[in-house]
């Protein structure tokens, strides 16, 4: 009797439905299982092909750091860039008085080309009273120059040479009003006749007044700086870190009768100086 019940159509149908459900669940779960197995297999294969690197020892890490530092090339200093920018515009000025046989009547100063006509901005006292003014450009061209404009009250003069170099490179004029105390200041000129010399320092004051030795002319509105300058720098450019002219070197402070730099120099702001060349104050 029990065997007959087990073989009944209803029981067989129920059993078939159960197996159908099991097979359906297996078919649904199979792709997931295969994916998981494939992922594990991939991770295992990656680990075999690309094993983890061996950690560096402290000595190895230090050696690598030293090699990198040794191979690194530091950027050029601002002073080096400034010098390359201004050098083509720098002018060596030599003056002679009426008696050319007297070596004491020979003066040396500096100047800077300010336009494509080759006009040269310098300090008035460099060329004041000179019977002859000779200028030497950066490429070695010699020329005779004359004063075409001057503002003695600001110690500024503009020269025009009778001969120009093959390529005239005017300096880029900056804005002294944009400078602050502590900003870098570079002077390029011919101190003591040493052509093309550069010195570096900082702006140390603004709106200074000063009366140069052996002069009754009081200069006002000057830039004060501690960049080293000496006789021969007068008339040369005072520059910012970008090589732009922010002033024209005019005087040294002398607490004694010795004519050498003691840490304080003065320059006429470029916006004042360019007025002597016919340009507007700015």
């Amino acid at each position: 009797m029990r065997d007959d019940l087990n073989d009944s159509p209803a029981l067989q149908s129920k059993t078939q439905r159960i197996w159908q459900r099991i097979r359906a669940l297996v078919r649904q779960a199979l792709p997931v299982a295969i994916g998981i197995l494939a992922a594990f297999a991939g991770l295992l294969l990656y680990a075999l092909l690309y094993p983890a690197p061996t950690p560096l020892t402290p000595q190895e890490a230090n050696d690598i750091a030293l090699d990198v530092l040794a191979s690194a090339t530091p950027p050029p200093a601002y002073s080096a860039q400034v010098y390359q920018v201004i050098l083509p515009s720098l002018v060596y000025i030599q003056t002679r008085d009426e008696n050319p046989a007297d070596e004491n009547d020979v003066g040396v100063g500096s100047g800077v080309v300010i336009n494509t006509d080759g006009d040269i901005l310098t300090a008035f006292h460099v060329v004041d009273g000179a019977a002859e003014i000779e200028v030497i450009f950066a490429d070695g061209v010699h020329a005779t120059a004359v004063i075409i404009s001057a503002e003695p009250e600001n110690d500024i003069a503009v020269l025009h040479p009778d001969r120009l170099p093959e390529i005239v490179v005017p300096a880029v004029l900056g804005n002294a009003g944009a400078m602050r105390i502590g900003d870098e200041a570079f002077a390029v000129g011919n101190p003591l006749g040493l052509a093309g010399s550069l010195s570096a320092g900082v702006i140390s004051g603004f709106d200074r007044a000063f009366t140069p030795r052996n002069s009754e002319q009081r200069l006002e509105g000057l830039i004060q700086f501690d960049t080293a300058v000496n006789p021969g720098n007068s008339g040369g450019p005072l520059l910012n870190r970008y090589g732009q002219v922010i002033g024209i070197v005019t005087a040294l402070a002398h607490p004694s009768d010795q004519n050498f730099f003691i840490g304080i120099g003065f320059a006429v702001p470029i916006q004042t100086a360019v007025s002597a060349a016919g340009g507007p104050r700015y």
Side-chain angles (χ1 to χ4, degrees), residues 111-182:
V112 60
V113 178
I114 57 169
N115 57 34
T116 54
D117 292 332
D119 292 336
I120 301 164
L121 197 60
T122 188
F124 178 72
H125 75 267
V126 170
V127 294
D128 183 24
E132 179 184 344
I133 304 172
E134 182 183 18
V135 296
I136 305 174
F137 293 94
D139 64 351
V141 169
H142 290 241
T144 298
V146 295
I147 301 173
I148 60 172
S149 179
E151 286 188 354
E153 66 274 19
N154 290 315
D155 194 29
I156 291 295
V158 180
L159 311 179
H160 185 73
D162 64 357
R163 181 186 178 192
L164 296 178
E166 184 175 350
I167 300 176
V168 178
V169 183
V172 177
L173 306 184
N175 183 4
M179 303 295 289
R180 297 173 298 176
I181 293 177

Side-chain angles (χ1 to χ4, degrees), residues 9-273:
L11 183 59
Q12 291 177 357
S13 177
K14 184 177 181 180
T15 302
Q16 290 176 353
R17 288 195 297 273
I18 292 172
W19 279 108
Q20 288 174 354
R21 291 177 181 175
I22 293 173
R23 285 195 295 271
L25 291 173
V26 170
R27 284 196 298 270
Q28 293 176 357
L30 185 61
V32 177
I34 292 174
I36 293 174
L37 290 175
F40 277 113
L43 291 174
L44 179 61
L45 181 62
Y46 182 86
L48 292 174
L49 294 177
Y50 303 98
T54 304
L56 295 175
T57 65
Q59 183 59 46
E60 290 173 335
N62 187 59
D63 292 341
I64 292 174
L66 291 176
D67 288 341
V68 171
L69 291 174
S71 62
T73 302
Y78 283 120
S79 54
Q81 298 176 10
V82 167
Y83 189 75
Q84 294 303 317
V85 168
I86 196 61
L87 188 60
S89 308
L90 188 66
V91 178
Y92 188 105
I93 299 176
Q94 185 169 280
T95 62
R96 293 184 182 276
D97 289 343
E98 294 293 342
N99 184 8
D102 187 353
E103 294 184 358
N104 293 326
D105 289 337
V106 177
V108 173
S110 305
V112 60
V113 178
I114 57 169
N115 57 34
T116 54
D117 292 332
D119 292 336
I120 301 164
L121 197 60
T122 188
F124 178 72
H125 75 267
V126 170
V127 294
D128 183 24
E132 179 184 344
I133 304 172
E134 182 183 18
V135 296
I136 305 174
F137 293 94
D139 64 351
V141 169
H142 290 241
T144 298
V146 295
I147 301 173
I148 60 172
S149 179
E151 286 188 354
E153 66 274 19
N154 290 315
D155 194 29
I156 291 295
V158 180
L159 311 179
H160 185 73
D162 64 357
R163 181 186 178 192
L164 296 178
E166 184 175 350
I167 300 176
V168 178
V169 183
V172 177
L173 306 184
N175 183 4
M179 303 295 289
R180 297 173 298 176
I181 293 177
D183 283 345
E184 298 100 323
F186 304 89
V188 181
N190 311 300
L192 307 176
L194 301 173
S197 298
L198 176 142
S199 55
V202 298
I203 300 293
S204 53
F206 290 102
D207 199 24
R208 302 303 198 203
F210 181 74
T211 302
R213 189 175 58 179
N214 300 325
S215 173
E216 296 180 357
Q217 180 64 56
R218 183 173 177 81
L219 305 176
E220 298 183 347
L222 302 176
I223 302 171
Q224 177 186 324
F225 57 88
D226 75 347
T227 307
V229 289
N230 284 282
N233 273 114
S234 292
L238 186 69
L239 307 151
N240 62 18
R241 63 161 58 180
Y242 306 109
Q244 300 169 341
V245 181
I246 58 169
I248 298 297
V249 176
T250 183
L252 314 176
H254 298 296
S256 68
D257 292 335
Q258 299 299 315
N259 194 25
F260 58 84
F261 184 66
I262 53 98
I264 298 177
F266 297 104
V268 178
I270 191 61
Q271 57 264 38
T272 300

